[in-house]
Amino acid sequence: MDISILGSGYVGLVTGTCLAQLGNCVICADSDNKKIAALKKGIIPIYEPGLEELISNNLEGKRLIFTSNIKDAVRNSEVIFIAVGTPSLDNGEADLTGIENVARNIAINMAGYRLIVEKSTVPVETGEWVKQTISMYIKKKIKFDVASNPEFLREGSAISDFMHPDRIVLGVESKKARDILVNLYKPLNAPLVITNIKSAELIKHASNAFLATKISFINAISRICDKVGADVQEVAEGMGLDKRIGRPFLNAGLGYGGSCFPKDLDAFISISSKLGYDFELLKSVKDINEEQKTLLLQKIKDTLWVIKDKAIGVLGLSFKPNTDDIRNAPGFDIIKALQTEGAKIRVYDPKAMKKAKDFLKGIAFCKDAYTAAKGCDCLLVVTEWDEFKELDFVKIKKLLKRPLIIDGRNIYAKEAMQKMGFTYLSIGRAPVNG
Ligand code: UGA
């Protein structure tokens, strides 16, 4: 099929590349000329395992084209995916300026029937607005359909999530739109949920909100664990074996970050309130998530007492492993709070330091975890990269000024850490015999 993807951010880039890999001709468009110039050379603006190779294969195979000319993209494709950003406004509402802009552009430039598919996460009823906008700006009487096909890929495992999805959600209003999309996704052989546009939009918001709720729920449980000396990981195992609950997304820690959950929760709370429902549950989910950072800071203070002039080594920066994305990364807030109190920060992250340098000033960016630990009063884990799980702790202990590890992601076995002579604090896991 001839497809164009408007917006070459995370979702647009992965969707376009994977659809090309499935044998379609894909034009990825973006108004950012610099980004497009780099992409044409195979230079990608994000770190996502496997994406660079896949882009270069499909560029060579001429199934993937990058352009900053949206007009051309709209003219030369029957199926158009909207994958532009929907950032949060100050009041939490989703900013739909990009979507509106693209809808107008499609209307002005379409040369024949087009299926316009919402891929970006949008508030319920955005499909209606897209339809109205296109009808308003369209020049001739050309037929078109709007559909919703939300994306569920996660950063860090985006390609495999796209290629092997748990389900594909199609919100459609005509047989033609349904047939095109069913055909497009046939090679993935995944369960299809075919519904109307509003339900599809809601499936996406509800899924992200539910996953965020699961995380805040286990984080709330971790506080009770801390108080009574129970172990939140064992509680999560015990809960997770119940198939109705499931183990994923029950890892207690510093809470969720990234470009999706925080933004989507704000937008969902906001649209619910506009529709006359006060979604208090989600407001609590947000509050619990914010408090996780304060609680970790309190643990640091309870152990180090005075923070001023203490050297603190920080392992991790990205909001989760296998990505260089630092948007709403919980570690950033922790580092900034510690800096405000006068701590000297030494940090190491395998992929995110380049991006972080623009936002974090006055800290030492180190070449590895050992250099970050050198001479520190405390070592803090804020992102659970695999390489942090395999450190040489005899070496780490020698490098630290004081054998103190505060683990915001519960990645180490507490018994083993204590045996090695560390004071080891984590989230919702009381020290052994302590
Ligand atoms: C999330 C969803 O998982 C995807 O399905 C969705 O497509 C995407 O948002 C989106 O809307 O675009 P993502 O933000 O990439 O994906 O990452 P997740 O793996 O979901 O992690 C989100 C946050 O939750 C991370 O900060 C992670 O550290 C945290 N988390 C996750 C926990 O604190 N505990 C857990 O048990 C799991």
Side-chain angles (χ1 to χ4, degrees):
M1 285 185 203
D2 289 321
I3 295 169
S4 66
I5 316 276
L6 307 187
S8 298
Y10 227 105
V11 169
L13 209 50
V14 175
T15 304
T17 309
C18 290
L19 287 176
Q21 180 69 16
L22 293 179
N24 300 287
C25 292
V26 181
I27 306 175
C28 283
D30 199 289
S31 51
D32 183 341
N33 289 318
K34 256 198 192 157
K35 191 198 266 183
I36 292 296
L39 282 167
K40 278 182 176 167
K41 291 184 210 144
I43 303 168
I44 67 167
I46 49 174
Y47 169 72
E48 177 63 39
L51 185 59
E52 202 161 45
E53 297 89 295
L54 215 58
I55 289 184
S56 97
N57 286 348
N58 284 287
L59 275 174
E60 270 173 36
K62 305 219 184 306
R63 288 180 301 268
L64 188 60
I65 295 171
F66 290 105
T67 180
S68 47
N69 190 334
I70 293 190
K71 201 166 153 180
D72 271 2
V74 174
R75 291 231 163 113
N76 295 307
S77 46
E78 190 183 23
V79 186
I80 302 169
F81 283 89
I82 302 183
V84 295
T86 52
S88 292
L89 292 168
D90 287 344
N91 62 2
E93 233 176 90
D95 182 353
L96 299 175
T97 317
I99 303 261
E100 203 254 358
N101 211 346
V102 155
R104 259 188 296 128
N105 255 307
I106 294 171
I108 296 164
N109 294 303
M110 54 198 253
Y113 172 84
R114 295 290 178 269
L115 170 60
I116 296 112
V117 191
E118 291 174 346
K119 196 65 165 159
S120 313
T121 303
V122 289
V124 62
E125 293 183 325
T126 302
E128 280 301 314
W129 283 106
V130 169
K131 235 189 298 176
Q132 281 185 35
T133 309
I134 296 180
S135 302
M136 228 161 22
Y137 288 93
I138 205 161
K139 285 178 189 154
K140 294 178 258 165
K141 265 219 161 316
I142 303 172
K143 285 209 171 139
F144 71 93
D145 277 308
V146 170
S148 165
N149 166 223
E151 186 46 62
F152 299 98
L153 58 82
R154 291 162 298 174
E155 293 186 17
S157 54
I159 292 167
S160 129
D161 287 348
F162 187 95
M163 294 296 196
H164 311 282
D166 289 342
R167 79 303 205 183
I168 292 170
V169 174
L170 304 177
V172 286
E173 285 181 341
S174 77
K175 184 172 178 308
K176 186 165 186 177
R178 177 196 168 117
D179 289 348
I180 292 176
L181 290 173
V182 168
N183 231 342
L184 180 66
Y185 285 115
K186 211 177 212 156
L188 296 185
N189 209 11
L192 297 181
V193 178
I194 302 183
T195 178
N196 59 35
I197 296 180
K198 286 178 195 165
S199 301
E201 290 169 336
L202 267 174
I203 288 171
K204 172 67 192 198
H205 256 171
S207 299
N208 273 7
F210 188 79
L211 290 171
T213 304
K214 242 184 136 177
I215 297 170
S216 280
F217 183 86
I218 201 67
N219 280 331
I221 297 291
S222 80
R223 296 179 200 174
I224 309 290
C225 289
D226 266 339
K227 291 200 190 296
V228 298
D231 185 312
V232 73
Q233 276 181 326
E234 285 166 18
V235 175
E237 291 305 327
M239 287 171 66
L241 283 170
D242 185 327
K243 290 191 185 71
R244 294 168 303 172
I245 299 173
R247 181 62 182 82
F249 282 75
L250 285 181
N251 291 324
L254 278 175
Y256 58 79
S259 66
C260 303
F261 288 175
K263 166 180 80 74
D264 291 355
L265 242 69
D266 280 343
F268 203 17
I269 292 169
S270 163
I271 189 81
S272 303
S273 147
K274 265 195 183 167
L275 293 167
Y277 178 62
D278 184 6
F279 216 143
E280 280 199 55
L281 173 67
L282 294 187
K283 291 182 186 166
S284 300
V285 167
K286 266 185 69 170
D287 290 344
I288 293 170
N289 197 56
E290 276 309 301
E291 286 156 13
Q292 284 308 101
K293 293 176 261 190
T294 318
L295 286 173
L296 189 90
L297 280 167
Q298 197 51 53
K299 282 192 197 233
I300 301 171
K301 284 185 196 169
D302 288 348
T303 331
L304 285 181
W305 187 27
V306 175
I307 299 294
K308 191 168 184 294
D309 293 331
K310 293 273 159 58
I312 300 183
V314 180
L315 299 187
L317 279 172
S318 55
F319 83 97
K320 66 173 205 173
N322 299 323
T323 177
D324 61 350
D325 197 339
I326 49 172
R327 288 175 287 177
N328 296 306
F332 267 57
D333 292 337
I334 308 263
I335 289 174
K336 283 188 174 158
L338 290 171
Q339 275 189 307
T340 308
E341 300 222 12
K344 295 184 177 116
I345 308 288
R346 300 172 64 75
V347 73
Y348 167 68
D349 184 284
K351 293 284 173 200
M353 293 202 288
K354 193 164 168 243
K355 284 190 175 158
K357 279 179 185 161
D358 291 339
F359 301 96
L360 292 173
K361 300 291 170 198
I363 70 174
F365 288 94
C366 303
K367 71 174 187 344
D368 56 25
Y370 301 105
T371 322
K374 200 169 176 206
C376 286
D377 298 278
C378 162
L379 189 64
L380 206 60
V381 179
V382 301
T383 316
E384 66 278 31
W385 285 93
D386 276 347
E387 69 172 76
F388 300 156
K389 297 176 186 163
E390 287 145 18
L391 294 173
D392 174 350
F393 282 100
V394 174
K395 193 168 163 189
I396 292 278
K397 197 171 165 207
K398 277 190 198 141
L399 287 165
L400 286 170
K401 204 189 282 173
R402 170 183 172 174
L404 170 61
I405 295 184
I406 302 186
D407 177 0
R409 294 294 180 181
N410 288 351
I411 60 174
Y412 302 124
K414 60 187 182 193
E415 291 83 357
M417 285 315 217
Q418 281 176 238
K419 239 190 214 159
M420 278 188 280
F422 285 102
T423 302
Y424 175 67
L425 301 177
S426 52
I427 310 286
R429 296 151 83 214
V432 184
N433 305 323

